[in-house]
Amino acid sequence: MAKEMKSPVKVATLAVSIALVTVFTSVVKIPTPTGGYLNCSDIAICFIAYTMGPVTAFVAGGVGAALADIIGGWFAYAPITFVCHGLEGLLMALIISSFEKKEDSPVSIWIGRVLAAIVCMICVAGGYYLLEGIFMQGFAAAITEVPGNLAQSGVGVVVGFLISEAVRKAYPPVKKMSW
């Protein structure tokens, strides 16, 4: 197992995944009422969760999105972003991989994907609500972010899945490039 962890391809894939999330988070920024912003990070994170596995999804989601906050001057949000988007990627990928391993039926695989989508949306909308409520503006202001975060993560689930399916069909060995 330790030998696999040092694979240059896997390390490069992780680095590119972090960069992908950073770029998707930074390119489109839609301001929100509490001073934050909506973005396309969930598209990249969900794609990585569907395609690359839990470790890659956790590190790329957490580090990539937090790095975008730091680069964009949103320093105070970086720890919250790391937790919310890191957990989003990790939990989605764990759920997806556990249901895909069973391969009992396509229905089972779809149940896993739907469950992963729900967990994704809870991690993003619920995580930001809870952590912003405690550490930033308070719960009254944080509640205004929930609809946007649900929309952002919902779009990420759908578009990330579509991109993942296209990449997996075009290049099946992609699954072996991840942790």
Side-chain angles (χ1 to χ4, degrees):
M1 182 90 162
K3 196 171 192 176
E4 281 184 41
M5 298 295 264
K6 294 181 181 175
S7 167
V9 172
K10 290 182 178 186
V11 171
T13 301
L14 180 59
V16 169
S17 296
I18 292 168
L20 181 70
V21 173
T22 304
V23 169
F24 270 62
T25 307
S26 299
V27 170
V28 175
K29 292 183 181 178
I30 302 165
T32 61
T34 60
Y37 63 94
L38 300 177
N39 55 67
C40 295
S41 63
D42 295 305
I43 294 171
I45 295 166
C46 292
F47 161 73
I48 294 164
Y50 284 124
T51 311
M52 299 293 184
V55 173
T56 305
F58 172 70
V59 175
V63 173
L67 185 58
D69 279 349
I70 293 167
I71 291 168
W74 306 89
F75 306 105
Y77 281 89
I80 293 170
T81 296
F82 177 82
V83 171
C84 293
H85 288 295
L87 286 177
E88 167 194 10
L90 174 67
L91 295 176
M92 277 191 75
L94 286 172
I95 292 166
I96 291 163
S97 65
S98 71
F99 277 85
E100 285 183 354
K101 284 181 185 174
K102 295 177 185 175
E103 293 195 38
D104 293 331
S105 70
V107 173
S108 175
I109 292 171
W110 276 103
I111 289 170
R113 290 174 179 167
V114 169
L115 182 59
I118 292 167
V119 168
C120 165
M121 295 172 76
I122 290 170
C123 281
V124 175
Y128 273 101
Y129 171 71
L130 181 66
L131 296 175
E132 283 183 13
I134 294 169
F135 297 110
M136 303 294 277
Q137 301 92 350
F139 292 104
I143 195 75
T144 64
E145 302 264 340
V146 171
N149 284 330
L150 286 171
Q152 174 182 305
S153 57
V155 168
V157 164
V158 173
V159 177
F161 171 73
L162 294 173
I163 295 169
S164 174
E165 286 296 297
V167 169
R168 289 168 98 176
K169 285 180 185 172
Y171 189 68
V174 73
K175 192 69 175 169
K176 296 177 184 170
M177 298 167 59
S178 65
W179 283 310

mmCIF file of all heavy atoms in Angstrom, residues 17-54:
data_model
loop_
_atom_site.group_PDB
_atom_site.id
_atom_site.type_symbol
_atom_site.label_atom_id
_atom_site.label_comp_id
_atom_site.label_asym_id
_atom_site.label_seq_id
_atom_site.Cartn_x
_atom_site.Cartn_y
_atom_site.Cartn_z
ATOM 1 N N SER A 17 -5.941 18.016 -9.351
ATOM 2 C CA SER A 17 -7.282 18.099 -8.763
ATOM 3 C C SER A 17 -7.411 19.313 -7.844
ATOM 4 O O SER A 17 -8.431 20.011 -7.861
ATOM 5 C CB SER A 17 -7.612 16.815 -7.995
ATOM 6 O OG SER A 17 -7.667 15.715 -8.874
ATOM 7 N N ILE A 18 -6.388 19.573 -7.041
ATOM 8 C CA ILE A 18 -6.390 20.759 -6.187
ATOM 9 C C ILE A 18 -6.471 22.022 -7.049
ATOM 10 O O ILE A 18 -7.268 22.928 -6.771
ATOM 11 C CB ILE A 18 -5.138 20.802 -5.278
ATOM 12 C CG1 ILE A 18 -5.198 19.680 -4.237
ATOM 13 C CG2 ILE A 18 -4.990 22.168 -4.605
ATOM 14 C CD1 ILE A 18 -3.882 19.461 -3.484
ATOM 15 N N ALA A 19 -5.661 22.066 -8.105
ATOM 16 C CA ALA A 19 -5.672 23.225 -9.005
ATOM 17 C C ALA A 19 -7.032 23.380 -9.688
ATOM 18 O O ALA A 19 -7.541 24.500 -9.830
ATOM 19 C CB ALA A 19 -4.569 23.086 -10.051
ATOM 20 N N LEU A 20 -7.638 22.273 -10.090
ATOM 21 C CA LEU A 20 -8.952 22.307 -10.736
ATOM 22 C C LEU A 20 -10.000 22.932 -9.819
ATOM 23 O O LEU A 20 -10.760 23.817 -10.233
ATOM 24 C CB LEU A 20 -9.371 20.888 -11.131
ATOM 25 C CG LEU A 20 -10.697 20.726 -11.848
ATOM 26 C CD1 LEU A 20 -10.601 21.292 -13.262
ATOM 27 C CD2 LEU A 20 -11.079 19.254 -11.894
ATOM 28 N N VAL A 21 -10.020 22.509 -8.574
ATOM 29 C CA VAL A 21 -10.982 23.072 -7.613
ATOM 30 C C VAL A 21 -10.688 24.553 -7.377
ATOM 31 O O VAL A 21 -11.612 25.371 -7.331
ATOM 32 C CB VAL A 21 -10.977 22.288 -6.284
ATOM 33 C CG1 VAL A 21 -11.846 22.978 -5.235
ATOM 34 C CG2 VAL A 21 -11.457 20.853 -6.498
ATOM 35 N N THR A 22 -9.424 24.909 -7.250
ATOM 36 C CA THR A 22 -9.056 26.318 -7.032
ATOM 37 C C THR A 22 -9.538 27.186 -8.180
ATOM 38 O O THR A 22 -10.134 28.250 -7.964
ATOM 39 C CB THR A 22 -7.532 26.462 -6.855
ATOM 40 O OG1 THR A 22 -7.103 25.626 -5.777
ATOM 41 C CG2 THR A 22 -7.135 27.900 -6.577
ATOM 42 N N VAL A 23 -9.318 26.738 -9.401
ATOM 43 C CA VAL A 23 -9.736 27.517 -10.572
ATOM 44 C C VAL A 23 -11.263 27.601 -10.655
ATOM 45 O O VAL A 23 -11.817 28.683 -10.873
ATOM 46 C CB VAL A 23 -9.138 26.920 -11.869
ATOM 47 C CG1 VAL A 23 -9.772 27.542 -13.106
ATOM 48 C CG2 VAL A 23 -7.626 27.125 -11.889
ATOM 49 N N PHE A 24 -11.948 26.476 -10.473
ATOM 50 C CA PHE A 24 -13.415 26.481 -10.539
ATOM 51 C C PHE A 24 -14.024 27.364 -9.432
ATOM 52 O O PHE A 24 -15.091 27.932 -9.615
ATOM 53 C CB PHE A 24 -13.976 25.058 -10.436
ATOM 54 C CG PHE A 24 -14.133 24.377 -11.766
ATOM 55 C CD1 PHE A 24 -13.034 24.125 -12.578
ATOM 56 C CD2 PHE A 24 -15.370 23.980 -12.211
ATOM 57 C CE1 PHE A 24 -13.173 23.493 -13.799
ATOM 58 C CE2 PHE A 24 -15.523 23.345 -13.429
ATOM 59 C CZ PHE A 24 -14.429 23.109 -14.230
ATOM 60 N N THR A 25 -13.335 27.467 -8.319
ATOM 61 C CA THR A 25 -13.818 28.315 -7.231
ATOM 62 C C THR A 25 -13.552 29.785 -7.533
ATOM 63 O O THR A 25 -14.350 30.659 -7.176
ATOM 64 C CB THR A 25 -13.139 27.929 -5.898
ATOM 65 O OG1 THR A 25 -13.301 26.535 -5.683
ATOM 66 C CG2 THR A 25 -13.718 28.690 -4.729
ATOM 67 N N SER A 26 -12.460 30.071 -8.197
ATOM 68 C CA SER A 26 -12.022 31.453 -8.412
ATOM 69 C C SER A 26 -12.621 32.132 -9.632
ATOM 70 O O SER A 26 -12.786 33.349 -9.649
ATOM 71 C CB SER A 26 -10.497 31.495 -8.547
ATOM 72 O OG SER A 26 -9.886 31.020 -7.383
ATOM 73 N N VAL A 27 -12.942 31.373 -10.664
ATOM 74 C CA VAL A 27 -13.334 31.973 -11.936
ATOM 75 C C VAL A 27 -14.692 32.668 -11.867
ATOM 76 O O VAL A 27 -14.843 33.799 -12.321
ATOM 77 C CB VAL A 27 -13.311 30.919 -13.066
ATOM 78 C CG1 VAL A 27 -13.932 31.442 -14.339
ATOM 79 C CG2 VAL A 27 -11.874 30.480 -13.332
ATOM 80 N N VAL A 28 -15.700 32.001 -11.331
ATOM 81 C CA VAL A 28 -17.041 32.583 -11.238
ATOM 82 C C VAL A 28 -17.311 32.904 -9.768
ATOM 83 O O VAL A 28 -17.273 32.014 -8.928
ATOM 84 C CB VAL A 28 -18.113 31.607 -11.766
ATOM 85 C CG1 VAL A 28 -19.503 32.172 -11.552
ATOM 86 C CG2 VAL A 28 -17.872 31.273 -13.222
ATOM 87 N N LYS A 29 -17.585 34.164 -9.474
ATOM 88 C CA LYS A 29 -17.899 34.575 -8.099
ATOM 89 C C LYS A 29 -19.174 35.410 -8.112
ATOM 90 O O LYS A 29 -19.204 36.506 -8.669
ATOM 91 C CB LYS A 29 -16.757 35.390 -7.497
ATOM 92 C CG LYS A 29 -15.505 34.599 -7.260
ATOM 93 C CD LYS A 29 -14.442 35.443 -6.590
ATOM 94 C CE LYS A 29 -13.191 34.629 -6.377
ATOM 95 N NZ LYS A 29 -12.126 35.418 -5.789
ATOM 96 N N ILE A 30 -20.201 34.872 -7.481
ATOM 97 C CA ILE A 30 -21.474 35.577 -7.378
ATOM 98 C C ILE A 30 -21.622 36.024 -5.929
ATOM 99 O O ILE A 30 -21.750 35.183 -5.041
ATOM 100 C CB ILE A 30 -22.646 34.666 -7.790
ATOM 101 C CG1 ILE A 30 -22.432 34.161 -9.220
ATOM 102 C CG2 ILE A 30 -23.975 35.397 -7.641
ATOM 103 C CD1 ILE A 30 -23.323 32.997 -9.608
ATOM 104 N N PRO A 31 -21.571 37.337 -5.660
ATOM 105 C CA PRO A 31 -21.642 37.823 -4.273
ATOM 106 C C PRO A 31 -22.948 37.432 -3.576
ATOM 107 O O PRO A 31 -23.998 37.347 -4.210
ATOM 108 C CB PRO A 31 -21.550 39.342 -4.414
ATOM 109 C CG PRO A 31 -21.036 39.587 -5.785
ATOM 110 C CD PRO A 31 -21.451 38.415 -6.622
ATOM 111 N N THR A 32 -22.841 37.190 -2.280
ATOM 112 C CA THR A 32 -24.012 36.856 -1.463
ATOM 113 C C THR A 32 -24.256 37.975 -0.446
ATOM 114 O O THR A 32 -23.362 38.783 -0.182
ATOM 115 C CB THR A 32 -23.808 35.519 -0.726
ATOM 116 O OG1 THR A 32 -22.682 35.632 0.138
ATOM 117 C CG2 THR A 32 -23.600 34.377 -1.710
ATOM 118 N N PRO A 33 -25.434 38.015 0.159
ATOM 119 C CA PRO A 33 -25.774 39.104 1.089
ATOM 120 C C PRO A 33 -24.856 39.218 2.309
ATOM 121 O O PRO A 33 -24.699 40.299 2.859
ATOM 122 C CB PRO A 33 -27.196 38.761 1.540
ATOM 123 C CG PRO A 33 -27.740 37.863 0.507
ATOM 124 C CD PRO A 33 -26.575 37.128 -0.064
ATOM 125 N N THR A 34 -24.247 38.113 2.734
ATOM 126 C CA THR A 34 -23.422 38.173 3.945
ATOM 127 C C THR A 34 -21.956 38.456 3.662
ATOM 128 O O THR A 34 -21.134 38.412 4.563
ATOM 129 C CB THR A 34 -23.527 36.853 4.732
ATOM 130 O OG1 THR A 34 -23.084 35.788 3.901
ATOM 131 C CG2 THR A 34 -24.937 36.611 5.212
ATOM 132 N N GLY A 35 -21.614 38.707 2.428
ATOM 133 C CA GLY A 35 -20.236 39.040 2.113
ATOM 134 C C GLY A 35 -19.452 37.885 1.524
ATOM 135 O O GLY A 35 -18.301 38.050 1.155
ATOM 136 N N GLY A 36 -20.039 36.730 1.412
ATOM 137 C CA GLY A 36 -19.384 35.588 0.769
ATOM 138 C C GLY A 36 -19.686 35.592 -0.720
ATOM 139 O O GLY A 36 -20.085 36.611 -1.290
ATOM 140 N N TYR A 37 -19.511 34.444 -1.360
ATOM 141 C CA TYR A 37 -19.817 34.343 -2.777
ATOM 142 C C TYR A 37 -20.139 32.905 -3.157
ATOM 143 O O TYR A 37 -19.697 31.957 -2.519
ATOM 144 C CB TYR A 37 -18.665 34.876 -3.637
ATOM 145 C CG TYR A 37 -17.366 34.102 -3.502
ATOM 146 C CD1 TYR A 37 -17.049 33.074 -4.396
ATOM 147 C CD2 TYR A 37 -16.439 34.398 -2.518
ATOM 148 C CE1 TYR A 37 -15.864 32.365 -4.288
ATOM 149 C CE2 TYR A 37 -15.253 33.707 -2.399
ATOM 150 C CZ TYR A 37 -14.969 32.692 -3.298
ATOM 151 O OH TYR A 37 -13.791 31.994 -3.185
ATOM 152 N N LEU A 38 -20.963 32.757 -4.193
ATOM 153 C CA LEU A 38 -21.246 31.455 -4.785
ATOM 154 C C LEU A 38 -20.286 31.256 -5.948
ATOM 155 O O LEU A 38 -19.838 32.226 -6.559
ATOM 156 C CB LEU A 38 -22.697 31.391 -5.273
ATOM 157 C CG LEU A 38 -23.763 31.591 -4.213
ATOM 158 C CD1 LEU A 38 -25.155 31.581 -4.851
ATOM 159 C CD2 LEU A 38 -23.667 30.526 -3.137
ATOM 160 N N ASN A 39 -19.981 29.994 -6.258
ATOM 161 C CA ASN A 39 -18.992 29.705 -7.283
ATOM 162 C C ASN A 39 -19.251 28.330 -7.889
ATOM 163 O O ASN A 39 -20.257 27.706 -7.586
ATOM 164 C CB ASN A 39 -17.594 29.779 -6.674
ATOM 165 C CG ASN A 39 -17.468 28.860 -5.482
ATOM 166 O OD1 ASN A 39 -17.511 27.647 -5.620
ATOM 167 N ND2 ASN A 39 -17.343 29.433 -4.287
ATOM 168 N N CYS A 40 -18.337 27.869 -8.712
ATOM 169 C CA CYS A 40 -18.476 26.574 -9.391
ATOM 170 C C CYS A 40 -17.633 25.474 -8.745
ATOM 171 O O CYS A 40 -17.401 24.426 -9.345
ATOM 172 C CB CYS A 40 -18.091 26.721 -10.860
ATOM 173 S SG CYS A 40 -19.194 27.805 -11.778
ATOM 174 N N SER A 41 -17.182 25.686 -7.531
ATOM 175 C CA SER A 41 -16.308 24.701 -6.874
ATOM 176 C C SER A 41 -16.934 23.323 -6.785
ATOM 177 O O SER A 41 -16.248 22.310 -6.944
ATOM 178 C CB SER A 41 -15.946 25.181 -5.462
ATOM 179 O OG SER A 41 -17.118 25.270 -4.659
ATOM 180 N N ASP A 42 -18.242 23.264 -6.548
ATOM 181 C CA ASP A 42 -18.892 21.973 -6.361
ATOM 182 C C ASP A 42 -18.918 21.141 -7.629
ATOM 183 O O ASP A 42 -18.974 19.912 -7.561
ATOM 184 C CB ASP A 42 -20.299 22.162 -5.797
ATOM 185 C CG ASP A 42 -20.245 22.761 -4.404
ATOM 186 O OD1 ASP A 42 -19.570 22.181 -3.542
ATOM 187 O OD2 ASP A 42 -20.844 23.823 -4.193
ATOM 188 N N ILE A 43 -18.858 21.771 -8.780
ATOM 189 C CA ILE A 43 -18.764 21.009 -10.031
ATOM 190 C C ILE A 43 -17.467 20.213 -10.015
ATOM 191 O O ILE A 43 -17.455 19.001 -10.268
ATOM 192 C CB ILE A 43 -18.832 21.938 -11.260
ATOM 193 C CG1 ILE A 43 -20.208 22.587 -11.349
ATOM 194 C CG2 ILE A 43 -18.484 21.174 -12.539
ATOM 195 C CD1 ILE A 43 -20.321 23.678 -12.401
ATOM 196 N N ALA A 44 -16.361 20.881 -9.704
ATOM 197 C CA ALA A 44 -15.061 20.204 -9.676
ATOM 198 C C ALA A 44 -14.992 19.174 -8.552
ATOM 199 O O ALA A 44 -14.515 18.050 -8.753
ATOM 200 C CB ALA A 44 -13.940 21.234 -9.529
ATOM 201 N N ILE A 45 -15.475 19.528 -7.375
ATOM 202 C CA ILE A 45 -15.408 18.612 -6.234
ATOM 203 C C ILE A 45 -16.253 17.369 -6.486
ATOM 204 O O ILE A 45 -15.814 16.242 -6.211
ATOM 205 C CB ILE A 45 -15.827 19.329 -4.935
ATOM 206 C CG1 ILE A 45 -14.823 20.433 -4.594
ATOM 207 C CG2 ILE A 45 -15.937 18.332 -3.775
ATOM 208 C CD1 ILE A 45 -15.305 21.419 -3.545
ATOM 209 N N CYS A 46 -17.446 17.550 -7.005
ATOM 210 C CA CYS A 46 -18.303 16.392 -7.289
ATOM 211 C C CYS A 46 -17.709 15.529 -8.396
ATOM 212 O O CYS A 46 -17.739 14.300 -8.311
ATOM 213 C CB CYS A 46 -19.712 16.847 -7.636
ATOM 214 S SG CYS A 46 -20.593 17.578 -6.227
ATOM 215 N N PHE A 47 -17.163 16.148 -9.434
ATOM 216 C CA PHE A 47 -16.478 15.387 -10.479
ATOM 217 C C PHE A 47 -15.371 14.530 -9.861
ATOM 218 O O PHE A 47 -15.251 13.339 -10.152
ATOM 219 C CB PHE A 47 -15.890 16.326 -11.542
ATOM 220 C CG PHE A 47 -14.824 15.688 -12.370
ATOM 221 C CD1 PHE A 47 -15.150 14.735 -13.326
ATOM 222 C CD2 PHE A 47 -13.488 16.006 -12.187
ATOM 223 C CE1 PHE A 47 -14.155 14.125 -14.083
ATOM 224 C CE2 PHE A 47 -12.499 15.411 -12.937
ATOM 225 C CZ PHE A 47 -12.827 14.459 -13.899
ATOM 226 N N ILE A 48 -14.572 15.124 -8.999
ATOM 227 C CA ILE A 48 -13.464 14.407 -8.367
ATOM 228 C C ILE A 48 -13.993 13.305 -7.447
ATOM 229 O O ILE A 48 -13.456 12.190 -7.429
ATOM 230 C CB ILE A 48 -12.544 15.393 -7.620
ATOM 231 C CG1 ILE A 48 -11.855 16.317 -8.631
ATOM 232 C CG2 ILE A 48 -11.517 14.656 -6.765
ATOM 233 C CD1 ILE A 48 -11.229 17.559 -8.029
ATOM 234 N N ALA A 49 -15.045 13.578 -6.697
ATOM 235 C CA ALA A 49 -15.623 12.565 -5.816
ATOM 236 C C ALA A 49 -16.162 11.384 -6.615
ATOM 237 O O ALA A 49 -15.962 10.225 -6.233
ATOM 238 C CB ALA A 49 -16.729 13.167 -4.957
ATOM 239 N N TYR A 50 -16.848 11.657 -7.719
ATOM 240 C CA TYR A 50 -17.384 10.592 -8.558
ATOM 241 C C TYR A 50 -16.272 9.795 -9.241
ATOM 242 O O TYR A 50 -16.417 8.609 -9.483
ATOM 243 C CB TYR A 50 -18.286 11.159 -9.664
ATOM 244 C CG TYR A 50 -19.654 11.604 -9.227
ATOM 245 C CD1 TYR A 50 -20.080 12.903 -9.482
ATOM 246 C CD2 TYR A 50 -20.536 10.737 -8.598
ATOM 247 C CE1 TYR A 50 -21.348 13.328 -9.110
ATOM 248 C CE2 TYR A 50 -21.808 11.160 -8.221
ATOM 249 C CZ TYR A 50 -22.208 12.449 -8.484
ATOM 250 O OH TYR A 50 -23.458 12.856 -8.119
ATOM 251 N N THR A 51 -15.166 10.451 -9.551
ATOM 252 C CA THR A 51 -14.141 9.865 -10.414
ATOM 253 C C THR A 51 -12.907 9.372 -9.672
ATOM 254 O O THR A 51 -12.351 8.330 -10.006
ATOM 255 C CB THR A 51 -13.697 10.910 -11.463
ATOM 256 O OG1 THR A 51 -14.848 11.483 -12.073
ATOM 257 C CG2 THR A 51 -12.822 10.282 -12.530
ATOM 258 N N MET A 52 -12.455 10.099 -8.671
ATOM 259 C CA MET A 52 -11.118 9.893 -8.128
ATOM 260 C C MET A 52 -11.023 9.217 -6.766
ATOM 261 O O MET A 52 -9.949 8.823 -6.366
ATOM 262 C CB MET A 52 -10.391 11.231 -8.036
ATOM 263 C CG MET A 52 -10.214 11.916 -9.341
ATOM 264 S SD MET A 52 -9.091 10.973 -10.362
ATOM 265 C CE MET A 52 -8.954 12.023 -11.754
ATOM 266 N N GLY A 53 -12.070 9.159 -6.011
ATOM 267 C CA GLY A 53 -11.990 8.498 -4.721
ATOM 268 C C GLY A 53 -11.907 9.452 -3.544
ATOM 269 O O GLY A 53 -11.724 10.665 -3.708
ATOM 270 N N PRO A 54 -12.020 8.899 -2.323
ATOM 271 C CA PRO A 54 -12.185 9.722 -1.120
ATOM 272 C C PRO A 54 -10.991 10.594 -0.741
ATOM 273 O O PRO A 54 -11.178 11.751 -0.356
ATOM 274 C CB PRO A 54 -12.489 8.722 -0.014
ATOM 275 C CG PRO A 54 -12.334 7.371 -0.585
ATOM 276 C CD PRO A 54 -12.184 7.488 -2.056
#
